[in-house]
Amino acid sequence: MSTHTAWMARLGMRHPIIQAPMAGISTPALAAAVSEAGGLGSLGIGASTTEQARQQIAQTRALTGRAVHINLFCHQPAQADAQRETAWLQQLAPEFARFGTTPPAGLHEIYASATGNAALQAMLLQERPAVVSFHFGLPEQGLIDALRAAGIVTLASATSLDEARRIEQAGVDVIVAQGVEAGGHRGTFDPGQDSLMGTFALVRVLARHTRLPVVAAGGIMDGEGIAAALRLGACAAQMGTAFILCPESAASPAYRAELRSERAHHTGITAAISGRPARGIVNRLHALGHRHGLPLPDYPRTYDAGKALHQAASAQGCSDYAAHWAGQGAPLARAMPAAELVRVLAAELALSPGPAA
Ligand SMILES: Cc1cc2nc3c(=O)[nH]c(=O)nc-3n(C[C@H](O)[C@H](O)[C@H](O)COP(=O)(O)O)c2cc1C
């Protein structure tokens, strides 16, 4: 067995398929169904408190004894910036007025980073999930070392070779190569320094220039896509958008309807929803961010404004400001139970030409 797939065998994975961690969208039922079906199911806890995360892990364990993957957001803590925040809230005021309301008086850091989060880190070392991954950068070295010493497989997202090298140097086990096609937040360490590499080139560069196993992420929607990623040198594919329409996901009816509509053909990257660049179905906030032209409040303070606006709008049946994250492969999303999707993906992969000998 290749040393690059040994970690998957250790986790009991029968297929090179990771259901991407998706904060707010992945659920214990989704993760458990994928792991039971022979892939790796994941929970994104970047928007959860330590207690909520502990509960999600317990709920998942009640559904499966197989490996589960917990994903952390490791951004630098947000800096309050009154000038930026006032300017952005003024830009949004006419949008709030559409729904007969006003912007919030101030913005808050609604989600804590895992970096420096002693309570969250202690919980993880106590619960010992089989896999822990990092997005938006790396946490302190002590956490990486402690997780690995506890026998936990570690993964980290890279959007460039430079980030991949930092992941390798930190002793992380596996690199998730996230291409610009990917749905959701860019994992870029410094959002101001995004190389915007596509999955195809990124996987190839990382497979050539790092020694770690590489998981491909971004725009992979079917067995043909997984086969292509494996051919490029990846050992597995991490897929998010493909799993949103599964009944086990937490996606709202409006999100599902958009993903099945013509709008799925139009995704774009904006920081105007959360404060960090993320790809989703294009909506009014994409245009507003573009028009604003000024630096936005830090992640996740911008998210506080976006969520307030979405709440006011959705109460009146409008989803113009929703965080409907989706990758460029969105029009290829299929609605079926997660276990069935894993089976279909594995069957499609088996029919695709394998990696060159
Ligand atoms: C709805 C949604 C939420 C996401 N949330 C997270 C997250 O919490 N943590 C993370 O590391 N990646 C997250 N991602 C990105 C995925 O890890 C992965 O890079 C992406 O889904 C791959 O592209 P695809 O959506 O085209 O399959 C999210 C993606 C989507 C679509």
Side-chain angles (χ1 to χ4, degrees), residues 20-23 25 44 71 73 135 178 181-184 217-220 238-241 244 255 325 327:
M22 296 183 279
I25 297 300
N71 173 258
F73 284 166
H135 205 53
Q178 189 197 35
E181 300 93 325
I220 302 170
Q238 176 160 301
M239 306 161 72
T241 305
I244 298 174
Y255 194 172
W325 307 132

Side-chain angles (χ1 to χ4, degrees), residues 27-29 31-32 43 45 50-66 68-70 123-124 126-129:
T27 62
L43 295 171
I45 61 161
T50 298
E51 209 34 54
Q52 288 166 339
R54 191 197 294 276
Q55 281 170 17
Q56 286 188 57
I57 294 171
Q59 285 163 7
T60 310
R61 284 192 165 143
L63 297 171
T64 183
R66 304 187 73 86
V68 177
H69 163 202
I70 304 300
M123 183 277 287
L124 287 169
Q126 204 175 36
E127 295 293 336
R128 296 189 182 211

